[in-house]
Amino acid sequence: MTRVGESHEAETGEIRARLERALGDRRGAPVSIRTLERRPCAYRTSFAIEELDVELSDGARLRLMMKDLSRAALHEHAQAAKPELLYDPLREIHVYRDLLDGAGLGTAQYHGASVDPAHDRWWLFIENVVGDALWQIGEFDVWEETARWLARMHGSLGGQAAGPLLRYDRELLGVWARRAAGFADDPRTAWNSSERQRVRDLTARYDAVAEQLEALAPTSSTASSTPRT
């Protein structure tokens, strides 16, 4: 039984088939889904995200998040904001599958992925973690612990193969400064003259900031400095 609107039946059937295959690959044995319920995630930012409640034929229940990493699944505002040269649908899949899985960092469990470039399918299946969004928490000690966790993560993952990860060197950091300067010079941008000048002043001084950031020790020294398209 699949409880979704009739207009989504074909797509849901594809999700079911691809999720069964991904879970089977992950577990090393065939998996059959008895029921699948879908709903949009309220915390979507850039890519389309759905919450999946799954019951397997053996009675096991899974609460999953499915993230569609295809370019077409980007929100229209994100498509306008994210430069094409930074887009790589495999990057997040690589992070969950090859870096975080088994690292013992307490991140959402990786349940598999469906990668099919011919059909523009780049689906990531991870654990749906129940909790509060960090931006909704005001206690400073929570933010301090988050910073400590990030430090532990960087220390734990340091030196591992980077795959499609980006290296935040001066060239990549400069992408954002150049984009901002371009917006300041574009008459179509809805900024007044004072705002345009403030942006120009900031971007003119950004090289010094990028130089300092580039000098910091990276988590992985093998990360590529060339964005993949």
Side-chain angles (χ1 to χ4, degrees), residues 58-70:
D58 62 4
R61 294 179 179 272
L62 301 174
R63 289 173 51 89
L64 304 180
M65 299 285 274
M66 186 189 83
K67 190 167 186 177
D68 185 346
L69 297 165
S70 66

Side-chain angles (χ1 to χ4, degrees), residues 55-214:
E55 182 182 1
L56 304 182
S57 58
D58 62 4
R61 294 179 179 272
L62 301 174
R63 289 173 51 89
L64 304 180
M65 299 285 274
M66 186 189 83
K67 190 167 186 177
D68 185 346
L69 297 165
S70 66
R71 184 76 179 178
L74 266 175
H75 190 279
E76 59 180 340
H77 296 311
Q79 287 192 28
K82 185 185 288 290
E84 178 67 32
L85 79 166
L86 297 183
Y87 173 69
D88 187 337
L90 285 176
R91 186 173 297 123
E92 193 165 350
I93 293 173
H94 163 72
V95 168
Y96 278 99
R97 181 188 61 202
D98 304 322
L99 295 181
L100 297 178
D101 188 36
L105 293 170
T107 52
Q109 183 179 355
Y110 172 74
H111 284 275
S114 180
V115 176
D116 183 358
H119 295 89
D120 197 25
R121 291 290 184 261
W122 314 88
W123 291 347
L124 171 65
F125 302 105
I126 60 174
E127 175 189 7
N128 185 357
V129 178
V130 178
D132 295 324
L134 184 61
W135 59 267
Q136 295 177 334
I137 301 175
E139 291 78 2
F140 190 64
D141 59 336
V142 176
W143 288 82
E144 287 182 316
E145 177 53 35
T146 301
R148 285 190 287 268
W149 180 89
L150 285 169
R152 292 194 297 270
M153 179 195 71
H154 283 280
S156 174
L157 301 180
Q160 295 192 35
L165 296 185
L166 294 172
R167 180 179 176 87
Y168 282 80
D169 56 13
R170 187 184 305 190
E171 175 61 27
L172 180 58
L173 292 169
V175 167
W176 304 106
R178 291 192 295 272
R179 279 168 56 84
F183 292 143
D185 293 335
D186 189 340
R188 297 169 298 178
T189 305
W191 296 342
N192 60 40
S193 59
S194 176
E195 291 169 332
R196 293 177 190 276
Q197 190 56 49
R198 285 203 299 270
V199 171
R200 293 189 185 105
D201 291 343
L202 285 172
T203 56
R205 298 193 295 268
Y206 193 71
D207 276 349
V209 177
E211 183 178 357
Q212 293 180 49
L213 292 173
E214 186 180 43

Side-chain angles (χ1 to χ4, degrees), residues 14-34:
E14 183 182 6
I15 291 174
R16 175 196 291 266
R18 290 178 180 267
L19 178 56
E20 286 179 336
R21 191 176 306 122
L23 291 173
D25 291 343
R26 173 78 173 151
R27 299 178 179 207
V31 169
S32 177
I33 294 175
R34 180 180 297 161

